[in-house]
Structures are given as structure tokens and as C-alpha cells.
Amino acid sequence: LMGTFKKYFPNEELAKQYERKPEMIANRVYANRMGNGDEKSGDGWKYRGRGFLQITGKSNYTLLSKETGIDYLSKPELLLNEADAMISALWYWSNNNINRYADLDDLDSVSDLINIGRRTSRVGDANGYKHREELLNKYKKLFWLNQLKT
């Protein structure tokens, strides 16, 4: 916890209190941001990342519900269903104009928008960036080779 969420767990004593308690961890880490209430509200756990792009935070669940007409706000577990996971991913991709950066082959901006919620000036700072870059390069090669064969 101290390595991943140093801001929220600055010392070992505090980290030990939350160790192996995912609901408590989510409520602390996501408290008072992204439209969530305080740690005791339970919003951090209730509106944790779900769906193919890991929609997170009460504000995203609220907008997703409003714009799709599906009540994800009171039934966030719906995003565990494949169809709803795809709906949320397409909604997030479209709402954040991510295609603009995908078309430019700007993996860093795509990653920033998905993982951080905004573009940053530092390249590769989004969670999982290196792995995503490796996968993208792998699949680009495969698609290129398949193009040559057809």
C-alpha cells in the first residue's frame, strides 16, 4: 500500500490497518474526489473501477447513467456484465474524445485520458503504460504481417 498509494498510506502503521481489506482501501483512496463522499460514505468501494476501461467515481457513474439511460448509479454491479462493460468503455472513449489521440498513434495521451483522466506532460506516467506499449507494438506487428499476407 505504501508503494502504490503512498499519498494515502504514508506510514507502515496506517498501512497495516488497511492491509488486505480492499473495501477499506478503496474507500480511503477514492474518498472526496471524482464526486465521491468521504471515506465513511462507502462511495470509494461502491464506485470503484468497473467495465472494460474501469469507470471510476460517482461522477462518472452519474454521467454514464444520465447519458445512457441505464441506472448504473444505483446498480454499479451492472458494469460487471460484458455488454454493460462495453457500453461504459464506448461511452468513456467517446466522451473523452480519445479517438483523436488514437488516430494520431499517441499512446501516451490515450493512456493518460483513460488512467489519469487528463493529459499530462510526462510520457509513460499512466498506470500500466509500459505493458500497454508492449501489447500495442506486438499487435501492430501481427496486423502488419497479416496485411502483407492478404
Side-chain angles (χ1 to χ4, degrees):
L1 291 175
M2 292 172 60
T4 304
F5 300 115
K6 186 177 178 123
K7 177 180 175 181
Y8 304 100
F9 300 100
N11 61 63
E12 193 172 332
E13 183 182 331
L14 183 61
K16 287 275 185 207
Q17 295 172 32
Y18 287 78
E19 187 176 32
R20 301 187 190 284
K21 298 175 183 165
E23 188 169 344
M24 285 178 60
I25 294 167
N27 285 330
R28 180 171 182 83
V29 170
Y30 296 122
N32 300 311
R33 59 191 191 104
M34 299 179 290
N36 291 343
D38 65 14
E39 190 172 343
K40 291 179 182 170
S41 73
D43 287 350
W45 179 254
K46 184 173 184 178
Y47 302 112
R48 65 190 180 276
R50 291 187 184 90
F52 292 141
L53 292 183
Q54 297 292 292
I55 298 298
T56 307
K58 188 174 184 178
S59 57
N60 273 327
Y61 279 76
T62 300
L63 283 172
L64 176 63
S65 296
K66 181 181 175 188
E67 293 181 18
T68 62
I70 303 168
D71 189 5
Y72 296 111
L73 193 60
S74 64
K75 297 176 193 154
E77 67 280 356
L78 288 175
L79 292 179
L80 299 174
N81 300 325
E82 189 172 356
D84 293 288
M86 180 58 78
I87 288 169
S88 69
L90 294 171
W91 169 82
Y92 191 86
W93 188 275
S94 176
N95 260 25
N96 290 280
N97 198 18
I98 296 173
N99 228 53
R100 170 183 179 193
Y101 301 101
D103 286 347
L104 295 171
D105 202 24
D106 184 350
L107 178 63
D108 184 62
S109 291
V110 169
S111 297
D112 283 352
L113 289 166
I114 291 171
N115 292 113
I116 301 172
R118 62 181 166 71
R119 291 177 64 217
T120 66
S121 58
R122 192 167 150 234
V123 174
D125 56 341
N127 187 34
Y129 178 83
K130 197 72 180 155
H131 184 242
R132 190 175 296 116
E133 183 178 46
E134 290 166 4
L135 290 173
L136 179 62
N137 289 334
K138 173 184 171 180
Y139 288 111
K140 279 182 176 180
K141 259 187 206 171
L142 286 173
F143 290 136
W144 177 250
L145 290 173
N146 284 333
Q147 288 282 327
L148 292 175
K149 291 178 186 176
T150 59

